[in-house]
Amino acid sequence: MKKITMFEMPDDDERGVSPVIGVILMVAITVILAAVIASFVLGFGDQVSQNVQAGADISETDDGSVTATWISEGNADHLNVSVSDDSNVAFDESSITGYAEIQQVGNTATLTTDGDSPPYDVTVTVTAVGSGGSRTVVAQEEVSVGSS
């Protein structure tokens, strides 16, 4: 029987691995802290783009026209309204065929046809544009434009 005294060092077989785990944890913590500090210093957090948010409504009216209305600002600078097939329909306020821009909350863009033409099925898409130029589709709907 072996007698162990109070100050005797244990054999290599009896030692724990806690010093190795401690060193690994210290290195991992140092690397993580360095990465976080570097991301703030170099501004990586500023380069993340956010989705542009706004509220828009697309609705058909009794006279055969379609209106897109900006109902909630969110973080959008303005809204772009486009139509899938612009050969037979146009926006009243726009000089560009198949495209309109809404500048303020509450404003609308109205899509109509020429005269008494048959109804045309088109897809109206409303895209919110942020101050940095980022874009997000906020509403899209297939509608019928024209008198029936």
Side-chain angles (χ1 to χ4, degrees):
M1 179 151 110
K2 183 177 177 183
K3 184 177 178 186
I4 298 177
T5 61
M6 196 156 35
F7 296 108
E8 187 177 327
M9 279 297 248
D11 295 336
D12 287 338
D13 298 357
E14 297 173 2
R15 289 187 184 190
V17 291
S18 62
V20 173
I21 292 173
V23 169
I24 291 173
L25 287 175
M26 291 298 285
V27 169
I29 290 171
T30 304
V31 168
I32 291 170
L33 281 174
V36 169
I37 292 170
S39 69
F40 281 114
V41 170
L42 298 176
F44 291 141
D46 297 338
Q47 295 177 358
V48 177
S49 64
Q50 292 183 359
N51 284 341
V52 183
Q53 297 180 3
D57 178 55
I58 302 169
S59 58
E60 299 178 47
T61 61
D62 292 337
D63 65 355
S65 62
V66 173
T67 60
T69 306
W70 189 356
I71 56 174
S72 172
E73 186 172 18
N75 61 350
D77 185 49
H78 64 276
L79 299 182
N80 290 339
V81 185
S82 60
V83 62
S84 61
D85 179 13
D86 60 5
S87 58
N88 298 309
V89 296
F91 288 99
D92 284 347
E93 303 86 14
S94 178
S95 59
I96 304 169
T97 305
Y99 176 84
E101 193 171 281
I102 304 174
Q103 294 293 329
Q104 295 179 8
V105 174
N107 289 358
T108 63
T110 304
L111 183 65
T112 60
T113 61
D114 296 333
D116 290 329
S117 57
Y120 296 101
D121 292 331
V122 295
T123 301
V124 177
T125 304
V126 180
T127 306
V129 181
S131 59
S134 57
R135 299 170 182 268
T136 303
V137 173
V138 293
Q140 187 171 29
E141 191 172 326
E142 188 170 324
V143 293
S144 182
V145 183
S147 56
S148 48

